[in-house]
């Protein structure tokens, strides 16, 4: 089960933290109206990324860290309604056929 949080109107400093710890595909001046954070197992994060990108026009980036074990987290940035919809689909596991069984 993934941990899911949303930051509405993230501060520039918050975005700087995400940029420093991620493979973000946005420049330092990018300020989305919301950032969804999803943390869990690697397999869950790959599926969550796929769900988010297929759901809305958001930008997904991995956020690296280690405390005390490796941390696997995604940052999903975009318009608030789009980020909320992505997080809802990830939470409810309604992103399509990702299970093989």
């Amino acid at each position: 089960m993934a941990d899911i949080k949303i930051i509405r109107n993230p501060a520039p400093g918050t975005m700087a933290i995400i940029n420093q710890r991620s493979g973000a595909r946005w420049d330092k001046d990018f300020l989305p109206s919301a950032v969804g954070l999803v943390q869990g197992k690697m397999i869950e994060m790959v599926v969550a990324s796929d769900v988010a990108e297929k759901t809305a026009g958001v930008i997904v980036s991995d956020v690296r860290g280690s405390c005390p074990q490796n941390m696997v987290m995604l940052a999903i940035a975009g318009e608030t309604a789009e980020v909320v919809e992505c997080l809802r689909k990830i939470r409810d596991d309604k992103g399509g056929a990702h299970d093989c069984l």
Side-chain angles (χ1 to χ4, degrees), residues 47-68:
V47 170
S49 176
D50 189 64
V51 169
E53 289 187 344
K54 288 177 178 175
T55 298
V58 295
I59 299 172
V60 181
S61 179
D62 65 316
V63 180
R64 296 177 293 275
S66 57
C67 59

Side-chain angles (χ1 to χ4, degrees), residues 21 39 63-73:
R21 302 198 63 83
Q39 183 177 347
V63 180
R64 296 177 293 275
S66 57
C67 59
Q69 65 267 9
N70 287 335
M71 179 173 63
V72 181
M73 187 169 73

Side-chain angles (χ1 to χ4, degrees), residues 6-99:
I6 188 168
I7 301 171
R8 289 177 172 85
N9 300 313
T14 301
M15 292 305 296
I17 291 169
I18 294 170
N19 274 332
Q20 290 170 1
R21 302 198 63 83
S22 74
R25 296 180 285 174
W26 53 75
D27 64 34
K28 64 180 183 166
D29 297 325
F30 177 60
L31 274 177
S33 59
V35 174
L37 301 173
V38 185
Q39 183 177 347
K41 296 179 199 173
M42 177 64 80
I43 191 169
E44 294 170 333
M45 297 306 92
V46 172
V47 170
S49 176
D50 189 64
V51 169
E53 289 187 344
K54 288 177 178 175
T55 298
V58 295
I59 299 172
V60 181
S61 179
D62 65 316
V63 180
R64 296 177 293 275
S66 57
C67 59
Q69 65 267 9
N70 287 335
M71 179 173 63
V72 181
M73 187 169 73
L74 297 177
I76 302 168
E79 296 298 320
T80 301
E82 292 178 325
V83 172
V84 168
E85 181 62 20
C86 291
L87 296 178
R88 187 172 292 125
K89 282 193 175 184
I90 291 166
R91 181 198 65 206
D92 296 342
D93 196 31
K94 293 183 179 160
H98 289 92
D99 291 328

